[in-house]
Amino acid sequence: MDLSGTEFVGEGGAIRLLCNATRLPYPPEDVDWFFNGHRIQSNVQEEIIITKFFSPETKSLLSTLEIERSKMGHSGIYFCRSTDFAVK
């Protein structure tokens, strides 16, 4: 797993994170995003957009998390994890 993107954003700024999940010989089936330890999903009302794309060249599953206009409530720790790991 490799997570990259915007590290610090002022209120109203855009947050863009990229998760690159690679596992040989096959990529993971899916990835989940977490915010402060809780699984999140795309939510138009909360302005969180999650997209996923399979790259056959690198055998990776790429996922982005985007928030166009951040609010103070978006402040926290984000991470992604392959669904190959059990979530409790």
Side-chain angles (χ1 to χ4, degrees):
M1 287 288 189
D2 184 32
L3 180 62
S4 60
T6 314
E7 192 168 338
F8 298 102
V9 176
E11 188 171 7
I15 298 171
R16 288 188 178 82
L17 303 173
L18 172 65
C19 179
N20 181 346
T22 305
R23 183 185 74 203
L24 296 175
Y26 304 104
E29 289 184 23
D30 203 359
V31 296
D32 290 321
W33 284 93
F34 294 82
F35 171 65
N36 290 336
H38 300 282
R39 190 181 333 192
I40 57 173
Q41 298 176 349
S42 286
N43 186 330
V44 175
Q45 290 180 325
E46 294 294 324
E47 303 172 349
I48 298 171
I49 306 297
I50 295 173
T51 57
K52 297 174 184 176
F53 172 79
F54 171 68
S55 172
E57 301 86 39
T58 61
K59 295 184 179 178
S60 298
L61 180 61
L62 306 172
S63 180
T64 61
L65 182 145
E66 297 183 72
I67 301 171
E68 285 301 317
R69 289 185 176 87
S70 62
K71 301 173 185 170
M72 290 304 291
H74 294 128
S75 178
I77 298 172
Y78 292 85
F79 68 93
C80 64
R81 181 167 64 186
S82 166
T83 54
D84 296 340
F85 293 102
V87 178
K88 299 182 185 214

